[in-house]
Amino acid sequence: GVGAPVAQTSVIDWNKGTNKFAQSNDFSQSAWNLKIGTFAQGVSDPLGGLKAWSWTATDTDPYIYQQFSVSGTHTMSIYAKGVGSTIGKDFEIRVATTIQSFTLTSEWQRFELDGSPSNTNLGFEYGNPTVVGDVVHIFGAQLNEGSTAGPYVPTLSTNQPTPVLLPAGLTTGRDI
């Protein structure tokens, strides 16, 4: 019942990841400020589980955010997909005064944007123009230092500002 040993090269190939968002995949928690919308968990996520969230607009201009005081270049990312009437609509990521719009499709996509936030709200907005009842599925919000999104690191009640080791795919089915 013991798996094959992990080769030294597997350990070398591990990635390091961080995530400054608290409650990175629990949008119902107080770490997230929600404006106009409701959340329900239990949607199929891009990693094969049921941890994605259904975000339903209860009015126009729905968005969620967390407030930060950080400096330097950071990248914010999230997985999202449109459902029904939101397919083909815009989904926005906001880092400080930088806004990037992406087009929602019926498939999971990881959207990312880098910028230099400082004492600002970092968040996500969808469906412009939004109507009541529009739905977007979201999963895995992440904020990390640098100009590219790293591997997704889920967080609970606190953020994960220091790097943690994540397998780079070479340890599948092995005991460590």
Side-chain angles (χ1 to χ4, degrees):
V2 177
V6 176
Q8 182 63 34
T9 55
S10 294
V11 177
I12 291 170
D13 287 341
W14 280 36
N15 294 317
K16 290 182 179 178
T18 62
N19 192 349
K20 294 186 178 185
F21 278 130
Q23 300 289 349
S24 65
N25 199 44
D26 190 347
F27 302 103
S28 67
Q29 296 297 318
S30 62
W32 291 99
N33 297 291
L34 169 65
K35 180 182 181 245
I36 305 174
T38 59
F39 283 110
Q41 191 179 32
V43 176
S44 295
D45 64 56
L47 303 179
L50 293 173
K51 300 205 180 231
W53 290 78
S54 180
W55 180 10
T56 303
T58 55
D59 205 337
T60 60
D61 196 28
Y63 62 84
I64 56 171
Y65 67 92
Q66 286 190 23
Q67 190 167 31
F68 284 89
S69 178
V70 294
S71 61
T73 301
H74 283 70
T75 298
M76 192 164 63
S77 65
I78 193 168
Y79 293 89
K81 73 176 187 173
V83 177
S85 61
T86 59
I87 296 171
K89 287 189 178 181
D90 287 343
F91 185 83
E92 295 178 351
I93 297 178
R94 297 172 183 259
V95 176
T97 58
T98 304
I99 300 170
Q100 178 69 46
S101 292
F102 302 93
T103 301
L104 291 166
T105 69
S106 62
E107 301 294 324
W108 283 109
Q109 300 174 81
R110 188 176 191 195
F111 300 120
E112 64 180 72
L113 173 66
D114 66 274
S116 297
S118 177
N119 298 317
T120 190
N121 298 329
L122 303 179
F124 310 98
E125 182 175 351
Y126 79 85
N128 292 325
T130 306
V131 297
V132 174
D134 275 353
V135 176
V136 171
H137 290 171
I138 58 175
F139 174 82
Q142 183 162 331
L143 175 68
N144 58 278
E145 288 186 57
S147 59
T148 58
Y152 174 59
V153 175
T155 60
L156 299 174
S157 59
T158 60
N159 62 14
Q160 180 60 47
T162 56
V164 294
L165 289 176
L166 301 167
L170 298 176
T171 57
T172 303
R174 297 186 178 178
D175 294 335
I176 300 176

